[in-house]
């Protein structure tokens, strides 16, 4: 009985966390603020521009660009969950965050991350139908189907990720209140929990398999069919044109899923704070910054729409 009381005394209720972020680089705080501010502006401008041109240009009123506009909107929300907080921490040097705000940040981050996985899978399916079944494409990818697929991508992860966030924040945190990360991500939060967290780690692993690995496998299956169809095309010009419509999406998939899978599905023993931070920078900041560039520079329709928009001005 006494030992239980002593154990209970050792568990202090954490009211707020401290996001250590980039505090190990004290001489670079101003430079990091400038760099991340510039990145945020690039992300907002690039993705907003894609949303505008896909809305205004009649030539881009196709399912492919409808999903691209959804994806660009998602990227703006996704990066806004983490990057403004990083900028505030760098500017004020006050790295504290309440438990409630930390939980909210994690919840929105997980929901939007799930949406990104599903939306990338839907975009791969769209390319699969366009290239492998071109005659049935207008029928299969009707406006109603596109809206249903987009809405499904946005909402499908909400109940599970809310449940997972509640589960994680029902834990007692007694080791420390210092999160060795720049936002409230799952692995660094679990490291602060008292006692055995194996059940929680298993639930995170299962959620990652469900929302990351399965969409990634569907994307791989779509692209294996796409590549086979492209190779069967009679002319080199036709093969080049077909591949160019997919290459942008494939680059985005590799950039996002590569870093996400390594973060959430690699063994716990190989986790380190430095590696986790570096990988997180890829899928939270680098990917949303490069995506508009990848889609605009590698897509002739988008380039033509941008030229038209600039000439109107």
């Amino acid at each position: 009985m006494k030992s239980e009381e002593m154990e209970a005394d050792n568990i202090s209720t954490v009211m707020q966390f401290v996001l250590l972020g980039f505090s190990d680089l004290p001489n670079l705080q101003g430079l990091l603020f400038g760099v991340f501010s510039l990145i945020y502006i690039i992300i907002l401008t690039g993705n907003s521009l894609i949303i505008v041109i896909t809305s205004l240009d009649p030539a881009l009123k196709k399912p492919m660009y409808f999903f691209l506009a959804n994806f660009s909107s998602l990227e703006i929300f996704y990066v806004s969950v983490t990057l403004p907080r990083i900028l505030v921490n760098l500017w004020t040097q006050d790295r504290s965050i309440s438990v409630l705000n930390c939980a909210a940040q994690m919840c929105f981050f997980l929901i939007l991350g799930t949406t990104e996985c599903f939306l990338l899978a839907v975009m791969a399916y769209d390319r699969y139908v366009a290239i492998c079944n071109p005659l049935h494409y207008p029928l299969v990818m009707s406006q109603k189907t596109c809206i249903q697929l987009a809405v499904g991508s946005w909402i499908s992860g909400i109940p599970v990720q809310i449940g997972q966030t509640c589960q994680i924040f029902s834990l007692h945190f007694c080791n420390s209140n210092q999160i060795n990360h720049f936002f409230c991500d799952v692995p660094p939060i679990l490291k602060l929990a008292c006692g055995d967290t194996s059940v929680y780690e298993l639930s995170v692993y299962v959620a990652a398999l469900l929302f990351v690995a399965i969409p990634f496998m569907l994307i791989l299956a779509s692209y294996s069919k796409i590549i086979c169809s492209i190779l069967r095309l009679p002319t080199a010009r036709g093969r080049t044109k077909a591949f160019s419509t997919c290459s942008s999406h494939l680059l985005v998939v590799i950039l996002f899923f590569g870093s996400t899978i390594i973060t959430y599905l690699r063994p716990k023993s190989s986790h380190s704070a430095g590696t986790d931070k570096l990988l997180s920078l890829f899928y939270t900041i680098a990917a949303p910054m490069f995506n508009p560039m990848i889609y605009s520079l590698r897509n002739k329709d988008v380039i033509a729409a941008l030229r038209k928009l600039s000439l109107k001005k």
Side-chain angles (χ1 to χ4, degrees):
M1 189 74 180
K2 281 186 178 179
S3 63
E4 285 179 11
E5 286 175 9
M6 286 175 68
E7 207 173 296
D9 289 339
N10 288 335
I11 299 172
S12 56
T13 305
V14 173
M15 299 305 293
Q16 65 175 20
F17 292 109
V18 176
L19 287 164
L20 295 181
F22 304 98
S23 58
D24 54 337
L25 303 168
N27 299 326
L28 298 177
Q29 300 297 294
L31 176 63
L32 287 170
F33 178 82
V35 169
F36 284 127
S37 297
L38 181 62
I39 288 171
Y40 195 36
I41 291 166
I42 291 169
I43 291 168
L44 294 179
T45 306
N47 285 290
S48 297
L49 196 57
I50 285 178
I51 294 165
V52 169
I53 62 171
T54 52
S55 302
L56 297 179
D57 198 309
L60 302 183
K61 299 293 182 186
K62 300 172 186 175
M64 176 183 175
Y65 299 108
F66 168 74
F67 292 126
L68 181 57
N70 268 269
F71 188 69
S72 292
S73 303
L74 170 67
E75 293 293 60
I76 290 171
F77 292 129
Y78 184 64
V79 80
S80 296
V81 172
T82 56
L83 200 42
R85 185 87 208 185
I86 294 170
L87 293 173
V88 168
N89 292 352
L90 287 169
W91 181 257
T92 64
Q93 293 299 300
D94 177 12
R95 298 184 175 87
S96 61
I97 182 171
S98 71
V99 172
L100 185 61
N101 286 342
C102 190
Q105 186 185 55
M106 180 189 284
C107 189
F108 281 113
F109 174 76
L110 292 175
I111 289 169
L112 293 171
T114 301
T115 301
E116 181 144 359
C117 293
F118 284 138
L119 205 49
L120 285 170
V122 166
M123 291 167 82
Y125 175 69
D126 171 68
R127 292 299 83 210
Y128 160 73
V129 178
I131 291 168
C132 300
N133 297 292
L135 297 177
H136 296 103
Y137 183 69
L139 185 65
V140 175
M141 299 304 290
S142 64
Q143 187 179 17
K144 183 183 176 182
T145 303
C146 290
I147 292 169
Q148 287 173 341
L149 287 169
V151 171
S153 298
W154 281 94
I155 68 171
S156 52
I158 292 174
V160 174
Q161 300 299 12
I162 288 175
Q164 183 163 278
T165 303
C166 292
Q167 184 188 42
I168 289 168
F169 279 88
S170 68
L171 289 164
H172 291 289
F173 301 100
C174 58
N175 296 332
S176 169
N177 72 332
Q178 295 189 335
I179 302 170
N180 194 4
H181 210 38
F182 55 86
F183 71 100
C184 294
D185 202 2
V186 177
I189 293 286
L190 282 176
K191 282 181 184 176
L192 304 182
C194 306
D196 183 19
T197 59
S198 56
V199 174
Y200 299 92
E201 286 163 16
L202 181 62
S203 71
V204 170
Y205 195 79
V206 170
L209 281 173
L210 188 64
F211 295 133
V212 180
I214 290 176
F216 185 59
M217 295 303 288
L218 290 171
I219 291 168
L220 291 180
S222 296
Y223 273 103
S224 64
K225 297 265 188 183
I226 288 167
I227 290 166
C228 289
S229 294
I230 289 173
L231 293 175
R232 283 199 297 267
L233 291 173
T235 62
R237 188 179 176 184
R239 288 194 291 271
T240 304
K241 187 180 178 183
F243 189 73
S244 69
T245 64
C246 304
S247 56
S248 302
H249 179 254
L250 200 53
L251 277 171
V252 171
V253 165
I254 291 166
L255 189 63
F256 177 76
F257 276 99
S259 53
T260 306
I261 287 170
I262 294 169
T263 299
Y264 287 96
L265 294 177
R266 78 185 196 273
K268 185 186 175 184
S269 57
S270 62
H271 276 263
S272 70
T275 309
D276 283 349
K277 282 185 196 177
L278 187 63
L279 288 167
S280 297
L281 282 172
F282 269 96
Y283 61 80
T284 59
I285 295 170
M289 180 179 69
F290 288 124
N291 290 349
M293 300 178 201
I294 291 168
Y295 277 112
S296 57
L297 295 175
R298 298 183 65 85
N299 190 300
K300 290 178 183 177
D301 291 339
V302 173
I303 291 169
L306 282 168
R307 280 178 184 159
K308 274 193 244 176
L309 190 67
S310 62
L311 288 172
K312 281 180 184 178
K313 291 179 181 179

